[in-house]
Amino acid sequence: HVQLVESGGGSVQAGGSLSLSCATRGHTRRSGCLAWFRQVPGKEREAVAVIISDGSTSYADSVKGRFTISRDNAKSTLYLQMNSLKPEDTAMYYCAAVSRTGIWCDVRYWTSSLGYWGQGTQVTVS
C-alpha cells in the first residue's frame, strides 16, 4: 500500500521560494515514477513535474527554469524546489506515484486519474 504525505506549503511573496516535500511509503524505488501536480478551484489538476526511477525529469512549460523536482531514495522523499514564484503558481500541490514506468511518466501524459495521491499542501503567492 502506497502512502504519500506532502509538507512545506505556505504563503510567500512573488519572487520568493518554497520547497515542498513528499514522504513516500510503499513505493518501490526501482521502477515507476513520482510527480508533483497542482490544482486551483474550478480547474483540472495539472502535472507540474515528473521524475522517473532512472532520474530523468519533465516539467510543465509554465515552471521550466523555476522549479526543480528531485528525490532522496535513502529518505524515501520527493522534493519540489520552487523559485521565482508568481501569483499564478498559487494552488494546492499534490504528489503522486505510479509503481510501473510507462509513457504516463511525463507531464504531457500523466492524468489525475492515475496513481496514488497525497492529501495536498497549499501554496499561496501574493
Side-chain angles (χ1 to χ4, degrees), residues 1-76:
H1 180 63
V2 178
Q3 290 184 310
L4 308 171
V5 180
E6 302 96 336
S7 61
S11 298
V12 65
Q13 290 187 336
S17 299
L18 277 177
S19 180
L20 305 183
S21 300
C22 175
T24 69
R25 289 176 176 79
H27 175 76
T28 175
R29 298 186 291 270
R30 293 185 295 275
S31 65
C33 42
L34 297 165
W36 287 98
F37 280 68
R38 66 186 180 188
Q39 188 172 25
V40 297
K43 292 190 176 181
E44 290 189 3
R45 195 171 294 187
E46 63 169 349
V48 173
V50 176
I51 186 166
I52 306 178
S53 54
D54 65 359
S56 56
T57 59
S58 60
Y59 295 91
D61 288 343
S62 59
V63 306
K64 278 181 182 176
R66 300 188 298 121
F67 290 12
T68 302
I69 188 171
S70 62
R71 60 193 297 175
D72 185 329
N73 290 333
K75 296 182 179 180
S76 297

